[in-house]
Amino acid sequence: MRKDELIELGVGDALDAMAAGRTSSEELTAALLERMDALQPRLNALTWYDAEDALAQARAADAERASGAAETKPLLGVPIAIKDLLNVRGQPCTAGSNILKGYTAPYDATVIARLRAAGAVMVSRANTDEFAMGGSTETSAYGPSKNPWDPTRVPGGSSGGSAAAVAARLAPAALGSDTGGSIRQPASFCGITGLKPTYGRVSRYGCTAFASSLDQVGPMARTVEDAARVYAVIAGADPHDATTRAEPLGDPVGAARGGAESRSLKGVRIGLPREYFSSGTDPEVESLVRAAVEECRRLGAETVEVSLPHTQYGIACYYILAPAEASANLARYEGVRYGARARDAEDLLALYEQTRSRGFGAEVKRRVILGTYVLGSGFYDAYYARAQKVRTLVRRDFEAAFAGGGCDVLLGPVAPTPAFRLGERTADPLQMYLGDIFTVNVNLAGVCAMSVPCGFTAAGLPVGLHLVGPAFGEDRLLSVAAAYQASTDWHLRRPPEASLDRSIV
Ligand code: GLN
């Protein structure tokens, strides 16, 4: 196949093409590597890739295919970009931080072990906000990634490198992680499809911890079905992560395919949270989301207004709990066990202080300080304990809408704006945090959610539709998202090569 055709292949397309003998994993991987060489200097989507490493994995996959392994390996030979938060044995894993520069993963995260067992090729490391703290990749020690639709804008974050890589055809799919929106918001900003699974659905063993009661790993791809293919491989209980649950997985790929084939939402009840259609949302985003509501009605869905009354407290609650957990999780980076170490320290305390003050960036320090403060004696009850109570109220909002209100999914915007300009929010952290208004509550409640493309602004920026499902309701969510996607063509648009070529400021 021609290189320009190879880079366009999605996960399912690539599997079909390899099965038919039209291409090999080696040929596909080589085409993607060439694309990475051309675009990495402009997009900075990746933190690391190595042609030899990737091609060796691809050749091994081709050899397995030749010996008939394709039947039992659902992603055999498919290249996948991995967020730089997940350990891939033998590859660097730095969480976008200087403090982990030089650290090579000694083991595979469970999701990686599962991808490997399914035959996938871990083709590159994708850029992320430092320790996944941010919404733009601008806190990365490698510098920001650029949005392939407009390189003067952010790709979103924290899984912005993963989203930019998938949108720019550097990989057919990627893994991201989502603590407060980090899969869905970059998927929305880059015009791709992202799934944040239910808390407990996907193992976090080997995923660098940010806020352990919120973190979830999930797939990013160009279609719902491709996201489902990756999700089906990584999901499921894991003895290494006690928070995972043994709920039946169902048939995610079948659900996505069924939804796409039916192009129907008959019998589906969609809740429209009043609070998600508030005046603070960019008018273009709001009108695209409203058009998507109309499309869902046309496909036969019943829509009902619902209320998630504690929405407005989500940001405050999240920005207490997430930093509190982060301050504990990041205590392990002290210059002794991992990565970088201050060389000139006189004693142990100085070693800790110097390693941490040099190794962490400003946003990570802000969160560690904030988290330490809210957990401090005298403040714990006023902040942390109270935020935990608010979290329960947020969770009940969702339970009331799903179980109480009989909704199959909830629908709204992913983010209040399309991709913003590089540098626009870096001076004002609160501005950055407010962009998480629609996504953080989903993590606080632990339910599952997706972003699927639902249109473009007049300036040509993609906008994502937020679909939220109940805990362990991924199959229904995938089927609804796929039915919508099959009846629209927003996901088929690709970033213009001209914008990728534009010289970057
Ligand atoms: N933007 C949010 C934050 O900065 C969410 C990040 C995430 O989901 N990892 O914390």
Side-chain angles (χ1 to χ4, degrees):
M1 288 175 76
R2 296 200 320 262
K3 285 176 193 165
D4 61 326
E5 294 169 338
L6 287 166
I7 60 167
E8 289 300 326
L9 298 177
V11 176
D13 306 327
L15 288 164
D16 290 346
M18 288 186 282
R22 279 185 282 122
T23 190
S24 63
S25 180
E26 183 176 4
E27 188 185 43
L28 170 59
T29 302
L32 293 171
L33 285 163
E34 200 171 298
R35 178 96 172 151
M36 291 180 221
D37 286 343
L39 292 185
Q40 171 60 12
R42 297 176 207 172
L43 294 177
N44 195 33
L46 310 172
T47 58
W48 179 91
Y49 63 97
D50 180 87
E52 237 168 79
D53 174 291
L55 290 169
Q57 293 180 63
R59 277 185 219 112
D62 288 332
E64 288 198 85
R65 184 173 291 281
S67 67
E71 297 234 325
T72 54
K73 302 207 161 192
L75 295 175
L76 187 57
V78 177
I80 299 190
I82 307 295
K83 186 177 186 177
D84 188 33
L85 216 58
L86 291 155
N87 282 270
V88 176
R89 191 191 157 108
Q91 296 187 0
C93 180
T94 69
S97 181
N98 280 325
I99 211 161
L100 281 170
K101 290 248 174 96
Y103 178 75
T104 301
Y107 69 105
D108 280 337
T110 295
V111 290
I112 301 300
R114 290 186 178 178
L115 286 181
R116 235 190 252 289
V121 172
M122 269 49 80
V123 73
S124 60
R125 310 281 307 164
N127 198 13
T128 166
D129 281 290
E130 187 176 5
F131 287 98
M133 296 174 189
S136 66
T137 71
E138 292 169 293
T139 73
S140 168
Y142 299 86
S145 302
K146 316 287 164 68
N147 190 312
W149 295 90
D150 175 354
T152 67
R153 293 177 186 268
V154 303
S158 62
S159 313
S162 299
V166 171
R169 277 59 183 164
L170 308 186
L175 287 189
S177 70
D178 191 313
T179 304
S182 279
I183 287 175
R184 293 160 286 156
Q185 183 255 29
S188 172
F189 283 12
C190 290
I192 64 161
T193 299
L195 166 67
K196 184 210 90 77
T198 305
Y199 186 78
R201 181 65 104 175
V202 177
S203 169
R204 294 167 301 111
Y205 177 73
C207 178
T208 310
F210 165 10
S212 306
S213 77
L214 301 158
D215 299 340
Q216 244 334 256
V217 179
M220 304 170 83
R222 294 193 289 264
T223 65
V224 176
E225 188 178 322
D226 281 357
R229 285 176 190 276
V230 176
Y231 163 72
V233 166
I234 62 172
D238 173 17
H240 290 306
D241 177 354
T243 65
T244 55
R245 299 252 306 264
E247 299 286 327
L249 183 58
D251 177 12
V253 181
R257 203 175 284 152
E261 276 162 15
S262 78
R263 294 191 184 197
S264 164
L265 292 175
K266 281 211 180 65
V268 176
R269 193 171 155 98
I270 299 181
L272 307 174
R274 199 176 305 142
E275 297 79 6
Y276 284 29
F277 293 85
S278 59
S279 55
T281 301
D282 174 279
E284 282 191 292
V285 171
E286 178 164 351
S287 81
L288 291 169
V289 172
R290 286 195 188 278
V293 173
E294 283 311 313
E295 179 64 20
C296 290
R297 287 197 188 114
R298 199 185 64 76
L299 295 172
E302 175 200 356
T303 56
V304 288
E305 191 180 280
V306 296
S307 177
L308 301 171
H310 297 92
T311 299
Q312 57 173 317
Y313 304 111
I315 299 261
C317 179
Y318 171 88
Y319 278 98
I320 289 171
L321 297 178
E325 295 183 25
S327 70
N329 276 327
L330 270 57
R332 74 191 69 176
Y333 306 104
E334 29 46 331
V336 177
R337 287 174 290 179
Y338 306 94
R341 171 180 307 179
R343 290 268 157 227
D344 39 3
E346 283 182 358
D347 56 26
L348 191 61
L349 195 59
L351 172 75
Y352 293 169
E353 279 176 5
Q354 287 170 22
T355 300
R356 288 168 70 82
S357 56
R358 291 176 203 167
F360 289 142
E363 182 62 25
V364 170
K365 287 179 190 163
R366 181 177 298 121
R367 306 239 186 158
V368 168
I369 292 168
L370 213 64
T372 308
Y373 178 83
V374 299
L375 290 173
S377 69
F379 299 107
Y380 184 95
D381 286 340
Y383 294 107
Y384 187 77
R386 190 175 293 183
Q388 290 288 27
K389 290 181 186 157
V390 175
R391 181 174 188 172
T392 302
L393 298 175
V394 168
R395 183 180 300 125
R396 285 191 194 142
D397 280 358
F398 283 90
E399 279 164 13
F402 289 123
C407 293
D408 297 293
V409 297
L410 307 179
L411 181 159
V414 174
T417 66
F420 46 90
R421 290 194 187 282
L422 288 156
E424 194 177 303
R425 296 188 187 169
T426 41
D428 183 357
L430 205 54
Q431 265 278 98
M432 191 77 86
Y433 300 171
L434 288 173
D436 301 334
I437 174 89
F438 300 128
T439 46
V440 290
N441 288 18
V442 164
N443 302 73
L444 290 169
V447 296
C448 59
M450 295 192 75
S451 175
V452 289
C454 72
F456 288 81
T457 65
L461 299 172
V463 171
L465 179 68
H466 203 186
L467 294 168
V468 182
F472 300 100
E474 280 88 351
D475 274 14
R476 194 66 188 270
L477 178 66
L478 288 162
S479 136
V480 169
Y484 170 79
Q485 191 161 77
S487 70
T488 58
D489 57 9
W490 310 116
H491 62 294
L492 300 176
R493 295 209 197 166
R494 45 164 299 160
E497 288 295 313
S499 86
L500 296 173
D501 283 343
R502 208 184 318 163
S503 62
I504 291 174
V505 277

